Amino acid sequence: MDVKMYNNSFVLSPEKALFWIETKMLIISDAHLTKESHFRKNGIAVPTGILQNDLIRISKLIQHFNPKVVLFLGDMFHSEANEGLNEFLTWREIHSTLDIQLVVGNHDILHRDWYQTANIKLIPDEITIDNIILSHDKLSVIPDGKINFFGHLHPAIRLHGIAKQSLQLPCFYCDKQHMILPAFGKFTGFKTITVKKNVVVFAIGDNQIFKVN
């Protein structure tokens, strides 16, 4: 779905990513790559193949949009080093010429040398491009005329039907000064967001994006 914000054009993908047309930047938030390996390392049995599936999804987005930059808005990886990192490095070799950048999130705690090995540029706080401020968490102060794109919250909206039925769907959540991106990773939870006045929500379901309000 195409949206226009602050004189910039964006494509909202049902794969829970965003493409910024003017900058040719693919933006992904809260991928939490290798999370299942982290759980298994700590003795918790979870299915295999989750990381592989997420990397395939990223590859398809790269093939589709042909970005100059892939920017991760925090929590690219889930926690400390585990066996899943080797699988990521194999994937990185396939996309070795791609500029990958990471706005450091609270889960991005790997040793800084490893990010250098993986050829990932770290951005400690936030990055401002044109009138867009990109960060992992919501900024406390946003200058007039700018908008803050961030993740961290794993936003979702709950839709209610007849007979007290309800459905929770991940979403993009937009107001005058904020765009909250959905969590990209398949192995993540959601946080239901209260829809306030003058807010636009784009829900994701059945491989489609639809405007809720």
Side-chain angles (χ1 to χ4, degrees):
M1 177 175 285
D2 297 343
V3 297
K4 194 93 171 177
M5 301 180 71
Y6 285 71
N7 298 316
N8 284 278
S9 303
F10 303 92
V11 181
L12 308 184
S13 168
E15 284 291 353
K16 299 187 288 185
L18 179 150
F19 183 66
W20 186 350
I21 293 175
E22 285 80 4
T23 62
K24 296 201 71 176
M25 177 182 285
L26 177 65
I27 303 173
I28 294 170
S29 188
D30 299 274
H32 288 273
L33 301 175
T34 74
K35 183 175 181 179
E36 76 276 20
S37 297
H38 170 75
F39 274 48
R40 287 198 297 273
K41 180 180 178 180
N42 288 278
I44 302 172
V46 295
T48 60
I50 298 171
L51 173 60
Q52 182 182 30
N53 179 262
D54 282 341
L55 292 176
I56 288 171
R57 290 168 59 216
I58 296 172
S59 293
K60 288 181 177 178
L61 287 165
I62 291 168
Q63 183 178 19
H64 178 73
F65 289 112
N66 189 28
K68 288 184 177 179
V69 180
V70 178
L71 179 69
F72 287 86
L73 288 187
D75 292 357
M76 181 178 181
F77 299 96
H78 183 69
S79 191
E80 69 269 9
N82 57 58
E83 63 181 14
L85 294 179
N86 291 327
E87 187 174 346
F88 174 83
L89 289 176
T90 300
W91 176 91
R92 184 64 172 115
E93 289 178 5
I94 299 171
H95 302 283
S96 59
T97 61
L98 186 63
D99 184 359
I100 296 181
Q101 301 180 19
L102 167 63
V103 177
V104 177
N106 53 297
H107 279 277
D108 297 309
I109 61 173
L110 297 172
H111 195 282
R112 293 304 185 253
D113 289 347
W114 188 88
Y115 294 104
Q116 186 174 3
T117 298
N119 193 19
I120 297 171
K121 178 185 176 182
L122 297 181
I123 300 168
D125 298 305
E126 70 265 357
I127 181 172
T128 301
I129 303 173
D130 195 15
N131 45 14
I132 312 294
I133 308 173
L134 300 138
S135 60
H136 175 58
D137 209 347
K138 180 180 179 180
L139 298 179
S140 57
V141 178
I142 304 169
D144 290 340
K146 294 189 182 294
I147 183 170
N148 181 205
F149 282 28
F150 67 97
H152 185 57
L153 297 180
H154 302 199
I157 185 172
R158 185 167 295 279
L159 304 177
H160 297 274
I162 59 176
K164 297 184 179 180
Q165 296 173 333
S166 68
L167 179 65
Q168 187 185 42
L169 295 175
C171 67
F172 292 88
Y173 184 97
C174 315
D175 63 25
K176 186 177 179 181
Q177 284 197 300
H178 306 94
M179 160 76 88
I180 312 176
L181 275 69
F184 178 85
K186 290 285 189 182
F187 193 26
T188 60
F190 302 128
K191 178 182 179 181
T192 302
I193 301 290
T194 301
V195 180
K196 300 178 181 178
K197 220 173 181 182
N198 301 318
V199 166
V200 178
V201 174
F202 299 94
I204 305 167
D206 196 23
N207 203 35
Q208 299 179 64
I209 289 188
F210 52 97
K211 188 176 178 181
V212 176
N213 63 326

